[in-house]
Amino acid sequence: MASEKHVEPVIGVIGGSGLYEIDGLKDKEWRRCETPWGAPSDDLLFGSISGVRCVFLPRHGRGHPIPPSRLNYRANIDALKRAGVTDIISLSAVGSLKEELEPGRFVLVDQFIDLTQGRQRTFFEEGCVAHVSMAEPVSHRLLTTLGDTAEKLHIPVTRGGTYVVIEGPQFSTRAESDLYRSWGCSVIGMTNMPEARLAREAEMNYVTVGMVTDYDCWHEDHDSVTVDTVVTTMKKNATHARELVKDAIASLGHKRELDQAERALDNAIITPPDARDSGLLARLDAVAGRVLFSHQ
Ligand SMILES: CSC[C@H]1O[C@H](OP(=O)(O)O)[C@H](O)[C@@H]1O
Ligand SMILES: Nc1ncnc2[nH]cnc12
């Protein structure tokens, strides 16, 4: 939990396609979590690794019943916040938009281009308006730890890269794929927005491990992407992902000072207290309780 100055980290892991559980959790227990925004994708898996508390959520639910456009991103992030999570590691299957990012490589994403449409992308609706900064959407502290851990484990890793988030569920056309390449994007996926936005609004650190499964459809030497390709490579990536997460969590447990993202709401809420909607404020209890209901 965050106190005035220090944080006892709790690591949240969001498992993407092919990752419906993680390894090495002690005292593990699946627990249902209700939120004011509806139900998260699944129960949360609580436990600890090397004494560090952690919470796992399968993004699409166990069995993968929920498509990217229908995920309740707000409920997922709120549930993790309510569970005490301070730092989120987002594990995601991604397509590669660069020759040198081959399937099997892990890309530690540091920027996003959000092309999603019609998803609920904020907790701060009518009645309490907030504008947080998204200039640096990921935690460089988490990125560095994951990069160092991946190198130690001999997992091919690239630090930094832009993830273009498409609405899906269909994969891209070749013209779209070429366009994203011309923008300099590194990888493509369907889920990390609005997830990263909402994590920022909820004052949680966030980082994405983009696990390359395919070359999308631009690469003339590779067949166009199919679910089969993605799932086959994802299964191979999953072993690496489990090792990475287990070791990274062990390194992330020390008590530390608050990061900038954990103060994202300090100067973000523009609606003055007397104009705020009490119903919305009640729903913001977990996400914005630090600034709305206390003086930390
Ligand atoms: C099964 S391929 C497409 C699917 O995989 C990725 O999901 P996630 O980020 O949860 O691993 C991609 O964004 C699509 O949703
Ligand atoms: N090529 C691709 N496009 C979108 N999402 C993906 N997830 C994995 N590969 C993908």
Side-chain angles (χ1 to χ4, degrees), residues 17 92-96 163-164 166 170-172 188-190 211 213-217 225 230:
S17 300
S92 275
V94 292
S96 167
Y163 171 142
V164 58
I166 60 169
Q170 300 83 4
F171 295 115
S172 308
I188 181 166
M190 306 177 192
M211 298 174 289
T213 50
D214 55 270
Y215 274 112
D216 203 39
C217 62
V225 55
V230 172

Side-chain angles (χ1 to χ4, degrees), residues 1 11 14 34 46 66 99 115 119 149-150 191 205-206 216 241 256 267 270 280 284:
M1 277 297 287
I11 313 302
I14 303 181
E34 296 298 333
F46 289 76
I66 316 172
E99 182 87 50
L115 300 179
R119 300 182 184 184
T149 310
T191 60
N205 295 302
Y206 185 88
D216 203 39
R256 56 169 175 78
N267 298 301
I270 194 163
L280 176 56
L284 290 168

Side-chain angles (χ1 to χ4, degrees), residues 2 8 46 51 57 62 96 122 159 183 193 202 214-215 227 234:
E8 204 82 63
F46 289 76
L57 174 66
R62 281 166 288 178
S96 167
T122 183
R159 297 174 195 240
W183 291 348
M193 284 293 190
D214 55 270
Y215 274 112
V227 168
M234 190 62 238

Side-chain angles (χ1 to χ4, degrees), residues 25-41:
L25 273 184
K26 260 185 80 182
D27 304 322
K28 63 180 184 179
E29 187 188 351
W30 288 93
R31 278 189 236 153
R32 179 179 294 274
C33 179
E34 296 298 333
T35 85
W37 316 94
S41 298

